[in-house]
């Protein structure tokens, strides 16, 4: 399947999207999680597929997946068929890979960054939408007894993978990263720091307004703010964002 | 809706099921989680509904929900209609309440335990299938900067809510709790301790085999082991478990 996805004769380009949050196991039933529903990534994948791109979708096993996240028990059978047809039309151009832990994530990130670097596709892009933990901890192999207890969880810092993607694994591919903050004024100063790490652009968003408002921050270009009507919009913000990303390549 | 669910003229009984794992926020995007997909709870709800019981289903917002968890983009439209019809047939007897954090969970647990205690239904049951954290930590109100860092997460022990359910909120209602372990030999000794806390029975299961093997451990009664063929079974273990639970009331 991977070969077919990366063949030159199908699609307008190839995008590698990471989506969802990582899990750091504490024991077999407890973990430290980074929040992400994966809806952003799933929708980005759909709009790239609609634009006739091929998509490698690296996602947390439990997070939203393209088309599937639109299913609902209360939808009409006619609507079910429409969503299913959209999926069937696209599935030959969609390669879905799952991760849970940091180790899974980094392994697949390296693999598919290199796949993209070596692809003969004329248009390529990497979108790092996954929420990846900055910290890790040692996991116990069996469930910790609550009566034994543990009063602290000790954390170690995780080395950033971003420079490996941009400088080592996929140096010829434009890489875009995402910056989610709870305060808007933190986004731009933080985004700028990524340019030194080789990213082409940063998609900034605030947790509370992320479904209707995003900014595309690029080096030496004015920041583009995109916004839709939070309540009445018939389009999704990811539709605008994908068009914009394709146009700045 | 709550009144209708608890009316005496519909259903064979009323069951209150808790399902999914709690979330302890560390900051707005990071959290400490207890693992549970919620599939066990969702299926239990379905089989109680099938037995014509009314169900109050308190579940983690992101975990599996009755009928909905059976939807798949690759299912035939005919199969979609069958699942939807099962849902429509049952939805007037199903009350779904969501939680994320420990505080949400304890608040709803108290509320619906008392609702059950005061219900005039002749048959009642509480099934505590949710995976609830034994620990909590103080949350930051804005996203922690990874460059500031934090090297430890300090944990405080959470008071057990079980005795409140059994002795204070719903003393007349049979309460069953669940014991998930990674090692089988730990289940029975731990289950026995719950009898002093007022539970009628404990459903024990091992993480790796939980989809096909459970035990019902009750005071002064022989333990009942239930098992289905892990690969070829046409029935689900929760179907057996619900029949057994109704029969021991």
């Amino acid at each position: 399947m991977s070969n077919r996805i990366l063949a030159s004769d199908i699609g307008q380009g190839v995008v590698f999207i990471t989506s969802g949050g990582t899990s750091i196991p504490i024991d077999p039933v407890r973990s430290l999680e980074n929040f992400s529903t994966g809806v952003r990534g799933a929708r980005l994948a759909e709009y790239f597929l609609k634009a006739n791109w091929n998509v490698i979708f690296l996602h947390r096993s439990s997070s939203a997946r393209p088309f599937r996240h639109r299913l609902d028990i209360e939808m009409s059978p006619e609507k079910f068929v429409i969503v299913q047809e959209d999926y069937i039309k696209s599935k030959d151009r969609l390669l879905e890979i799952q991760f849970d832990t940091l180790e899974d994530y980094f392994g697949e990130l390296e693999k598919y960054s290199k796949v993209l670097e070596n692809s003969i596709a004329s248009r390529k892009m990497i979108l790092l939408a996954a929420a990846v933990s900055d910290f890790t901890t040692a996991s116990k192999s069996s469930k910790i007894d609550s009566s034994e207890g543990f009063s602290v969880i000790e954390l170690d810092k995780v080395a950033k993978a971003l420079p490996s993607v941009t400088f080592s694994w996929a140096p010829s591919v434009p890489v875009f990263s995402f910056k989610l903050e709870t305060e808007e004024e933190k986004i731009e100063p933080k985004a700028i720091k990524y340019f030194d790490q080789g990213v082409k652009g940063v998609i900034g968003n605030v947790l509370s307004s992320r479904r209707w408002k995003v900014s595309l921050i690029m080096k030496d270009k004015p920041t583009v703010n995109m916004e839709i009507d939070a309540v009445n919009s018939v389009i999704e913000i990811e539709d605008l964002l994908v068009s914009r990303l394709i146009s700045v390549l």
Side-chain angles (χ1 to χ4, degrees), chain A:
Chain A
M1 192 175 183
S2 165
N3 285 339
R4 185 147 177 225
I5 284 278
L6 298 162
S8 58
D9 60 332
I10 51 168
Q12 289 293 310
V14 182
V15 61
F16 173 31
I17 302 171
T18 70
S19 182
T22 56
S23 179
I24 311 292
I26 296 166
D27 71 15
V29 299
R30 301 180 181 98
S31 59
L32 190 61
E33 302 279 325
N34 269 55
F35 170 77
S36 165
T37 61
V39 168
R40 169 87 78 214
R43 288 183 182 171
L44 290 171
E46 290 171 15
Y47 290 112
F48 272 102
L49 290 165
K50 206 173 159 191
N52 211 28
W53 280 54
N54 296 352
V55 175
I56 300 171
F57 186 67
L58 175 60
H59 67 97
R60 175 72 184 274
S61 62
S62 54
S63 72
R65 294 169 65 182
F67 309 106
R68 297 172 189 267
H69 75 105
R70 298 192 188 269
L71 297 182
D72 189 88
I73 197 91
E74 305 218 356
M75 78 201 306
S76 68
E78 293 73 29
K79 187 72 204 296
F80 172 80
V81 170
I82 290 170
V83 175
Q84 187 173 54
E85 283 173 351
D86 284 343
Y87 168 72
I88 290 168
K89 236 183 291 177
S90 304
K91 66 185 263 206
D92 284 346
R93 290 183 290 110
L94 172 63
L95 176 64
E96 296 185 88
I97 317 288
Q98 302 193 348
F99 70 87
D100 281 303
T101 65
L102 267 183
E103 288 67 29
D104 298 344
Y105 176 78
F106 287 135
E108 302 293 353
L109 180 64
E110 178 172 357
K111 177 176 172 186
Y112 288 98
S113 294
K114 289 177 175 174
V115 162
L116 222 64
E117 177 68 21
N118 296 317
S119 157
I120 55 166
S122 58
R123 309 187 84 196
K124 309 174 187 184
M125 201 185 300
I126 294 178
L127 292 182
L128 302 173
V132 180
S133 183
D134 302 306
F135 302 94
T136 187
T137 191
S139 175
K140 309 279 187 212
S141 61
S142 67
K143 188 181 173 188
I144 299 165
D145 193 320
S146 65
S147 63
E148 292 166 28
F150 46 3
S151 63
V152 294
I153 299 172
E154 289 180 26
L155 300 170
D156 289 315
K157 210 150 188 173
V158 172
K160 298 277 186 191
L162 183 57
S164 300
V165 177
T166 55
F167 297 130
S168 164
W169 302 334
S172 78
V173 183
V175 175
F176 293 83
S177 69
F178 286 72
K179 195 72 212 164
L180 175 79
E181 288 293 334
T182 43
E183 289 132 273
E184 187 152 15
E185 61 275 16
K186 286 192 181 170
I187 294 174
E188 199 142 328
K190 288 200 178 184
I192 288 166
K193 291 185 191 167
Y194 286 108
F195 297 140
D196 298 334
Q197 294 183 54
V199 305
K200 187 170 172 79
V202 177
I203 295 124
N205 55 131
V206 174
L207 185 62
S208 55
S209 64
R210 70 194 189 284
R211 292 277 177 253
W212 62 88
K213 214 172 158 187
V214 297
S215 301
L216 177 58
I217 304 149
M218 294 178 70
K219 201 175 173 178
D220 307 325
K221 284 194 181 177
T223 291
V224 178
N225 298 305
M226 285 158 268
E227 188 167 354
I228 56 167
D229 185 308
V231 181
N232 298 311
S233 179
V234 291
I235 60 158
E236 293 174 334
I237 192 77
E238 292 81 6
D239 193 356
L240 296 182
L241 182 55
V242 167
S243 300
R244 174 63 61 172
L245 286 168
I246 291 176
S247 76
V248 297
L249 261 202

